[in-house]
Amino acid sequence: MSAENDKILTEITENDYKYGFVTEIETETIPKGLNEEVVRLISAKKQEPEWLLEFRLKAYRHWLTMKIPVWPHLKLPEIDFQDVIYYAAPRKTPKYSSLDEVDPELIDTFNRLGIPLEEQKHLAGVAVDAVMDSISVKTTFRETLAELGIIFCSFSEAVKEHPDLVRKFMGSVVPYTDNFFAALNSAVFSDGSFCYIPKGVRCPMELSTYFRINAANTGQFERTLIVADDDSYVSYLEGCTAPMRDENQLHAAIVEIVAHDNAEVKYSTVQNWYPGDKNGKGGIYNFVTKRGICKGDNSKISWTQVETGSAITWKYPSCILKGNNTIGEFYSVAVTNNHQQADTGTKMIHIGKNSRSTIISKGISAGKSQNSYRGLVKVLKGADKVRNFTQCDSLLLGDQCGAHTFPYLEVDNETAIIEHEATTSKIGEDQIFYCNQRGIDTETAIGLIINGYAKEVLNKLPMEFAVEAQKLLQISLEGSVG
Amino acid sequence: MLEINNLYASIEGKEILKGINLTVNPGEVHAIMGPNGSGKSTLAAVLAGRDLFEVTEGSAEFLGNNLLELSPEDRARMGLFLGFQYPVEIPGVSMVNFMKTAINEQRKYNNLEPLSASDFLKLMREKKEIVEITSSLTNRSVNEGFSGGEKKKNEIFQMAMLEPKLAILDETDSGLDIDALRIVANGVNKLRTKHNATIVITHYQRLLDYIVPDYVHVLYKGKIVKSSGKELALELEEKGYDWIKEQY
Ligand SMILES: Nc1ncnc2c1ncn2[C@@H]1O[C@H](COP(=O)(O)OP(=O)(O)O)[C@@H](O)[C@H]1O
Ligand SMILES: [Mg+2]
């Protein structure tokens, strides 16, 4: 499929990443580099309480003793952590109580991203916390949610308005000592979202955070904390984009989820950070620590992720299944194209009796990319009658890409039933030609096949996200079968 | 409808088609026969636009267009259908979704609105009857886990859905038991009109008892070495291909 496909390939890969624009807005940044002074400066800018500054400093000092992990199947370039700006905020800050006060440029930016900040314009049933660079710009539907006792606000506000909750749970799932990037985030995190669902409340709308990197040379370090009290339910969405820039940008986030007795949290991500150009220039380095704890009995945490962006992705949304009869789920589609690299997967730590986990991972590799699944299923001694099912599929487009799986199994209890299935397949030219012969062009054919392949995961996404995600998959892979 | 002139094609430098001439008019049924490895499937693939094969000489015109310049999908949208000798499986893509995409791509090409979901399902039901296909098949992924016979029926079902102007059926009869053969042949006959044409590629005379051709051609070593009426098929059945091989 040589000539024609080469043409399509060139056209598409040279096509704009749809979200690659830059917002011309006055940004306040601090000088490049990281030291204790910078940590103090960030904390001061955010007028934080002493305990939080202490937390940051401890994290920073710990970070200094750590090294960047070398075990992922990634070619990590040297990252100069002194060459990053650790705080950038749209000038007219901080938070806007009314939309009238928000810079029209910002409203326009989020409109272009499909995230209108006007509540009446918004997708019915989705509340959004919009975060640009280091700052939460606007949280919609706060009042509506507050009537139910649901707290949904930026992390900074939560620190001010609900310090006890934040203090109790921040770092309880991902301690700052957890890993290099978690320590870094804990030292310099700027903003993010906070959500608390009180006992017995089913959150009536999807909550979502939209992360946008805009400023150049900056890193984005946000944290999200979700606490679901007994018998509550919430579905949470996360989206992200960034401008096209030639230099790489660092994103190191933390997401912590705490689910109490009988609570259920669904966390869905459509990750579409700028992946770099077709030659591998630019793109986001995405190092994220996401972990939830099913603390109470019968609680459930589900991670669903569609990963299409970033030059490098390092991310393992995990579940600690502490309570009895708890459920952890991980559904993932990870797409890599051109020179992208992804090392992603999950950890299911079974502590509670009768805890169950399901892992469905669908990797799609194209171009010269490398796509790895890395997953740990760990069953502790006291965890009787644990069940795990893992399905790990790889789909290859072309023969210059790589797909790898690294499953780890640590089982200390004989009653556990662990199942693992894995497949590797390829989109064949004969499949494409069969579609062509029925009048379906190559791009559409790939879309059909990919969406069929990823269906199990896409079906887990909330409706309006699923459609977006389908389109995104197709766009990410356009021109990649040759 | 189809006019092939002195067509040469090769793969990896190996010449497979060596000067094919063939004219097909609306309403006609042509049978192409010949021993294995003669180039029958290659001819079908070249006409459908498989770029594994390189056309080195000659021309092919379809409905007044230079066929060889069109993309495979445009050839299909214009009404050229290939029933594959070996239909491929496409896991995860449901027949319904696949056919709906195919039909609507064709409609778009012809400046028609996409079919509504209900019209589409109605059409599916109608056409399924023609090839006596059970509904469970259309709920599955394209050809996935289909038996040999089911795959062939599925090809005819797709042909019925797409209503091509020219259908090239590549060994649609091979591997079929007599009932399936009858169903497939009936399907093809039901779809015959004055306006469309069919090229039946087959190894055996058997199918031609059911689908009666206007012309029979023998393809051997990349050339059509003999063309005649339907009686040629009987002669081949009787004498085998050896006398052809000896002669050419
Ligand atoms: N993909 C291919 N690669 C190399 N040779 C091929 C390929 N397809 C067909 N051929 C060769 O082309 C010749 C004709 O094959 P084919 O058209 O399938 O014959 P038929 O359909 O008449 O049995 C054979 O010699 C076969 O080996
Ligand atoms: Mg053949």
Side-chain angles (χ1 to χ4, degrees):
Chain A
M1 330 201 98
S2 41
E4 176 64 6
N5 265 295
D6 282 353
K7 205 180 92 224
I8 299 172
L9 182 73
T10 323
E11 270 173 24
I12 301 295
T13 46
E14 285 175 2
N15 231 348
D16 277 356
Y17 164 77
K18 195 171 138 200
Y19 308 99
F21 63 90
V22 178
T23 306
E24 291 303 332
I25 190 160
E26 226 184 306
T27 303
E28 180 197 2
T29 54
I30 61 173
K32 275 184 185 173
L34 184 55
N35 50 47
E36 271 200 30
E37 274 320 297
V38 169
V39 175
R40 285 177 195 281
L41 183 60
I42 293 171
S43 189
K45 282 209 173 285
K46 304 184 75 66
Q47 299 161 336
E48 285 175 353
E50 190 59 28
W51 62 266
L52 192 48
L53 174 62
E54 277 312 308
F55 175 87
R56 287 179 182 277
L57 289 171
K58 269 193 271 177
Y60 173 69
R61 288 169 199 146
H62 189 78
W63 178 72
L64 289 176
T65 69
M66 301 179 92
K67 286 206 165 58
I68 200 159
V70 292
W71 46 263
H73 191 83
L74 300 168
K75 259 198 212 115
L76 275 188
E78 192 77 34
I79 300 172
D80 182 357
F81 289 92
Q82 297 305 334
D83 196 36
V84 175
I85 296 171
Y86 287 86
Y87 184 88
R91 181 70 78 181
K92 282 196 209 157
T93 55
K95 183 80 170 192
Y96 312 97
S97 50
S98 140
L99 204 60
D100 303 338
E101 299 165 39
V102 181
D103 190 321
E105 276 289 334
L106 277 179
I107 298 178
D108 182 54
T109 298
F110 282 94
N111 275 336
R112 285 174 72 184
L113 298 170
I115 314 289
L117 301 180
E118 295 100 323
E119 292 183 359
Q120 65 275 19
K121 273 201 199 165
H122 211 275
L123 289 166
V126 183
V128 181
D129 184 23
V131 177
M132 170 106 109
D133 295 329
S134 304
I135 285 290
S136 168
V137 173
K138 168 84 187 159
T139 312
T140 62
F141 292 107
R142 279 185 66 163
E143 290 74 19
T144 319
L145 293 166
E147 284 166 20
L148 292 164
I150 296 171
I151 304 168
F152 179 46
C153 62
S154 74
F155 204 90
S156 314
E157 287 166 297
V159 168
K160 292 200 176 70
E161 290 163 26
H162 309 281
D164 295 345
L165 279 173
V166 175
R167 225 175 148 170
K168 182 166 175 195
F169 292 108
M170 184 181 76
S172 73
V173 193
V174 181
Y176 63 79
T177 50
D178 192 79
N179 67 71
F180 183 85
F181 296 105
L184 178 63
N185 175 289
S186 301
V188 302
F189 74 91
S190 38
D191 212 335
S193 304
F194 174 79
C195 164
Y196 172 79
I197 315 288
K199 285 195 169 72
V201 172
R202 260 189 92 83
C203 183
M205 52 176 76
E206 308 277 349
L207 300 188
S208 100
T209 304
Y210 195 90
F211 294 111
R212 172 75 177 167
I213 294 178
N214 187 58
N217 299 316
T218 56
Q220 177 146 324
F221 307 92
E222 79 280 346
R223 31 192 327 145
T224 299
L225 175 59
I226 300 170
V227 179
D229 217 327
D230 296 350
D231 307 296
S232 67
Y233 168 84
V234 65
S235 167
Y236 205 95
L237 314 171
E238 176 203 293
C240 34
T241 55
M244 291 159 66
R245 296 188 188 279
D246 282 350
E247 78 274 12
N248 297 102
Q249 279 178 280
L250 186 60
H251 172 249
I254 290 180
V255 176
E256 294 178 287
I257 300 175
V258 181
H260 291 94
D261 285 351
N262 309 310
E264 179 178 350
V265 179
K266 274 185 73 165
Y267 193 105
S268 314
T269 308
V270 175
Q271 189 263 108
N272 187 22
W273 295 118
Y274 178 52
D277 72 7
K278 63 174 195 289
N279 298 316
K281 197 172 169 68
I284 302 292
Y285 293 159
N286 191 35
F287 300 99
V288 175
T289 308
K290 288 182 167 172
R291 194 174 303 151
I293 181 164
C294 286
K295 203 168 179 177
D297 290 348
N298 313 310
S299 55
K300 175 175 175 183
I301 294 176
S302 277
W303 299 101
T304 304
Q305 59 172 19
V306 175
E307 301 280 311
T308 62
S310 300
I312 293 177
T313 296
W314 178 95
K315 172 177 170 188
Y316 315 89
S318 303
C319 298
I320 301 171
L321 302 168
K322 184 147 182 270
N324 295 327
N325 313 311
T326 47
I327 298 176
E329 293 176 336
F330 175 75
Y331 300 100
S332 168
V333 179
V335 181
T336 53
N337 196 0
N338 298 320
H339 290 263
Q340 282 177 276
Q341 305 180 68
D343 192 301
T344 181
T346 185
K347 288 191 268 188
M348 293 290 173
I349 315 291
H350 293 264
I351 301 171
K353 296 186 187 6
N354 256 321
S355 51
R356 281 164 291 156
S357 60
T358 304
I359 299 170
I360 308 282
S361 161
K362 304 269 181 180
I364 303 170
S365 340
K368 294 184 172 145
S369 67
Q370 295 293 328
N371 200 330
S372 304
Y373 165 80
R374 187 181 302 278
L376 168 70
V377 177
K378 184 172 175 141
V379 180
L380 274 69
K381 230 191 184 78
D384 293 334
K385 299 198 173 149
V386 160
R387 294 207 63 152
N388 162 265
F389 174 75
T390 300
Q391 165 106 35
C392 186
D393 297 328
S394 311
L395 184 66
L396 298 166
L397 287 79
D399 45 20
Q400 289 179 289
C401 50
H404 319 272
T405 45
F406 303 98
Y408 304 88
L409 205 54
E410 295 172 18
V411 182
D412 264 338
N413 185 310
E414 284 176 358
T415 60
I417 301 175
I418 312 280
E419 291 171 86
H420 184 101
E421 289 175 11
T423 65
T424 301
S425 48
K426 224 175 153 162
I427 295 189
E429 285 194 21
D430 50 349
Q431 288 174 324
I432 299 287
F433 182 68
Y434 191 82
C435 295
N436 291 159
Q437 211 305 303
R438 299 302 185 245
I440 302 169
D441 63 49
T442 301
E443 301 303 325
T444 311
I446 293 173
L448 272 178
I449 296 171
I450 294 295
N451 284 315
Y453 170 79
K455 203 158 45 188
E456 259 176 291
V457 175
L458 297 177
N459 285 346
K460 299 288 172 189
L461 288 172
M463 255 314 264
E464 56 274 10
F465 250 42
V467 178
E468 271 305 300
Q470 266 190 26
K471 279 192 229 145
L472 190 59
L473 285 186
Q474 193 164 343
I475 292 167
S476 312
L477 287 166
E478 270 176 351
S480 52
V481 164
Chain B
M1 169 167 304
L2 178 71
E3 178 104 38
I4 306 175
N5 254 313
N6 196 31
L7 188 69
Y8 282 76
S10 54
I11 182 160
E12 290 154 6
K14 183 172 140 202
E15 199 158 74
I16 312 277
L17 301 182
K18 300 167 184 168
I20 303 275
N21 293 294
L22 181 67
T23 303
V24 178
N25 295 306
E28 294 177 351
V29 174
H30 291 242
I32 297 182
M33 304 183 71
N36 274 330
S38 301
K40 303 184 296 294
S41 293
T42 301
L43 175 61
V46 167
L47 294 177
R50 182 88 209 235
D51 69 359
L52 218 58
F53 301 96
E54 192 193 353
V55 174
T56 50
E57 210 183 313
S59 66
E61 218 173 74
F62 176 57
L63 300 169
N65 303 283
N66 179 352
L67 184 67
L68 302 176
E69 275 187 353
L70 296 167
S71 69
E73 58 270 24
D74 279 349
R75 299 180 198 201
R77 292 165 185 162
M78 284 170 72
L80 189 144
F81 179 89
L82 172 59
F84 286 80
Q85 181 172 3
Y86 305 108
V88 293
E89 303 191 0
I90 311 181
V93 180
S94 71
M95 268 310 291
V96 174
N97 200 7
F98 180 72
M99 269 336 290
K100 201 164 143 193
T101 310
I103 292 259
N104 285 333
E105 288 291 327
Q106 186 187 52
R107 291 179 67 89
K108 192 162 78 190
Y109 185 80
N110 294 308
N111 295 316
L112 295 168
E113 291 289 307
L115 274 191
S116 71
S118 64
D119 285 348
F120 174 77
L121 291 172
K122 202 169 130 231
L123 185 69
M124 286 259 296
R125 265 198 307 275
E126 261 172 52
K127 304 293 183 178
K128 269 195 306 211
E129 279 171 23
I130 295 183
V131 279
E132 302 177 28
I133 227 171
T134 57
S135 22
S136 67
L137 278 194
T138 49
N139 291 334
R140 306 220 313 246
S141 293
V142 179
N143 293 323
E144 194 183 29
F146 287 26
S147 70
E150 285 169 343
K151 282 183 182 166
K152 296 299 171 78
K153 274 196 206 172
N154 191 22
E155 294 294 290
I156 304 303
F157 164 68
Q158 293 176 49
M159 167 178 154
M161 290 291 289
L162 292 164
E163 298 183 341
K165 302 207 170 61
L166 174 66
I168 305 169
L169 305 177
D170 191 359
E171 308 244 7
T172 304
D173 54 330
S174 59
L176 294 185
D177 61 32
I178 199 75
D179 286 335
L181 183 70
R182 190 185 43 78
I183 292 169
V184 162
N186 271 344
V188 174
N189 287 331
K190 277 187 207 157
L191 296 168
R192 267 180 92 164
T193 70
K194 299 200 286 293
H195 308 290
N196 60 26
T198 312
I199 298 176
V200 187
I201 296 176
T202 180
H203 203 71
Y204 307 103
Q205 136 75 17
R206 195 173 73 140
L207 177 67
L208 304 180
D209 289 339
Y210 296 92
I211 304 172
V212 182
D214 301 298
Y215 301 94
V216 175
H217 311 275
V218 178
L219 184 63
Y220 183 57
K221 288 188 179 163
K223 274 199 183 109
I224 290 180
V225 293
K226 214 164 168 51
S227 293
S228 183
K230 61 175 181 267
E231 63 287 351
L232 177 57
L234 290 168
E235 198 179 345
L236 286 169
E237 177 80 350
E238 213 173 287
K239 302 203 252 175
Y241 288 111
D242 286 349
W243 60 284
I244 301 263
K245 290 184 185 168
E246 276 158 29
Q247 250 176 298
Y248 300 92

